[in-house]
Amino acid sequence: MIEISHVNKWYSPSFQVLTDCTTSVTKGEVVVVCGPSGSGKSTLIKCVNALEPFQSGDISVDGTKVNDPKTNLPKLRSRVGMVFQHFELFPHLKIIDNLCLAQQKVLDRSRDKAMAKGMQLLERVGLKEQAQKFPANLSGGQQQRVAIARALAMDPIVMLFDEPTSALDPEMVSEVLDVMVDLAHEGMTMMVVTHEMGFARKVANRVIFMDRGEIVEDAAKEDFFGKPRSDRAQKFLSKILSH
Amino acid sequence: MFANLDFDVIRRALPYLFFEGMRFTLTLTALAALGGLVFGTALALMRLSGHKILGRIAGVYVDFMRSLPLVLVIFWFYFLVPYIGQWVTGASRPISVGAFASSLITFIMFEAAYFSEIMRAGIQSISRGQPAAASALGLTYAQTMRYVVLPQAFRNMLPVLITQTIVLFQDTSLVYVLSITDFLGAASKVAQRDGRLVEMYLFAAVVYFTISCIASFGVRRLQARIAIIR
């Protein structure tokens, strides 16, 4: 589904953020990307739907090359759902309109169809009653659930999550993770940047560990948590699991 | 000092002042603000597009317009437009544009320079995550601007935009150099005809002051309301 091969990215000639990153996500797979901050994991996931450009290497999604200038990026992105750290709901639109905008403008769905789909997804994330409110009236956890519903409204073939719970108060983390776990169990293909190792243990098929712009470890979940090969991954795990 | 002033002259001139003069002033203000906003937003988008040439053109235009006194622009434009029109259409004689069209075009072009800076600040006030989220949903650049960025930028900048429109409302009085009957022009004509300069100019000042004051008060109310919503 997602093929990443030999991706390099520089912010400036002396500052390389991604170094020769190669990995893949197959259909129905849940891949968790973790690593210390500044390790390039958010940058890598943003390269997948070309929100961040990269200088060399290739990424393709469902057979379409992301870095090909001829690729219709809006069309490709409409099939790749993305959830951001800071939710990024559109504050001037009601919740339901946040879900309808792209359905109507990108997929050309009728208002009625988009509304029906939107309400169905809001119900699924438990926020049907909030449809007529504005984002500012919702808690962080609720906003992030709306953001997931907004991405799902486009019927994506794969979902990208960029630290979806890092900006949330602790008591709101689980309500968002529950939605993501459900999604994983339904067979959604997911690439998730997160520090939530509990989530990784529960639903991930593979774990990718990144450090200083490199993919240091790319292993099945059991292997990664059981016995990480690299020193850096061991250190990282012992640090975040010691509490 | 006010002993030999005749304020009745104002009462007699009221219909003329408001139905002729003020109507022109308000029409010009509204159309110029609208046109200036549209053109100004286009300039702002050009500057923010990241396109070198487009950005440069818009930048030079804005700096140029903001470095000239408005009254000069009005004056020059009135005399130049007929010849520019002739040159563009290839007509044999200068094209007569009319004082209203000429002044409207001038104000739109002039105000666009100011509105574009306001809109530029408004667009830059939107966090980068917003256009990123819109792109991630598959919206094109134009759709992202139209449905996500500009509505928010416009809302954030509304108080400043209205304040600039109040300034524009006062600036429209400069069309007197084209002998147009705007509110001040009408007052001036009556003043000259009846030899009542002090009364008429006093009255004109009071009217401009009152309208601008009420509008400014409205802006403050609006600001307070927006502050609560956000």
Side-chain angles (χ1 to χ4, degrees), chain A residues 139-190:
Chain A
S139 72
Q142 290 174 323
Q143 288 192 48
Q144 194 61 300
R145 284 187 280 156
V146 171
I148 295 173
R150 179 175 71 176
L152 291 175
M154 304 297 285
D155 294 322
I157 53 171
V158 52
M159 287 283 286
L160 308 174
F161 293 83
D162 183 12
E163 306 207 26
T165 56
S166 327
L168 294 174
D169 291 337
E171 77 268 24
M172 291 170 184
V173 169
S174 68
E175 64 186 73
V176 172
L177 289 180
D178 286 346
V179 173
M180 291 169 60
V181 168
D182 284 348
L183 209 53
H185 286 324
E186 279 166 33
M188 175 62 79
T189 311
M190 293 162 70

Side-chain angles (χ1 to χ4, degrees), chain B residues 64-116:
Chain B
F64 180 71
M65 277 297 174
R66 299 210 302 176
S67 321
L68 289 172
L70 176 54
V71 69
L72 257 186
V73 181
I74 295 171
F75 201 60
W76 272 109
F77 207 75
Y78 182 59
F79 290 106
L80 279 181
V81 162
Y83 292 98
I84 296 172
Q86 179 191 15
W87 177 67
V88 169
T89 60
S92 57
R93 278 189 296 156
I95 289 170
S96 97
V97 179
F100 177 71
S102 169
S103 59
L104 179 60
I105 295 171
T106 314
F107 272 104
I108 288 177
M109 289 178 57
F110 195 81
E111 288 305 317
Y114 288 87
F115 279 128
S116 88

Side-chain angles (χ1 to χ4, degrees), chain B residues 161-225:
Chain B
L161 289 169
I162 297 177
T163 305
Q164 180 63 29
T165 306
I166 297 171
V167 175
L168 167 66
F169 166 70
Q170 294 160 8
D171 283 352
T172 54
S173 62
L174 289 174
V175 294
Y176 83 89
V177 292
L178 307 181
S179 320
I180 288 177
T181 312
D182 73 320
F183 181 71
L184 185 62
S188 166
K189 275 178 191 163
V190 175
Q192 314 261 351
R193 185 194 64 194
D194 298 352
R196 289 288 173 188
L197 296 171
V198 179
E199 292 90 332
M200 291 312 293
Y201 284 129
L202 255 180
F203 179 65
V206 168
V207 170
Y208 276 109
F209 177 81
T210 312
I211 293 178
S212 301
C213 243
I214 291 171
S216 299
F217 179 71
V219 172
R220 273 203 297 280
R221 289 279 301 267
L222 184 75
Q223 243 163 347
R225 266 192 53 187

Side-chain angles (χ1 to χ4, degrees), chain B residues 120-137:
Chain B
R120 192 160 72 114
I123 292 168
Q124 282 176 326
S125 75
I126 310 297
S127 81
R128 280 175 47 93
Q130 286 285 306
S135 308
L137 284 165

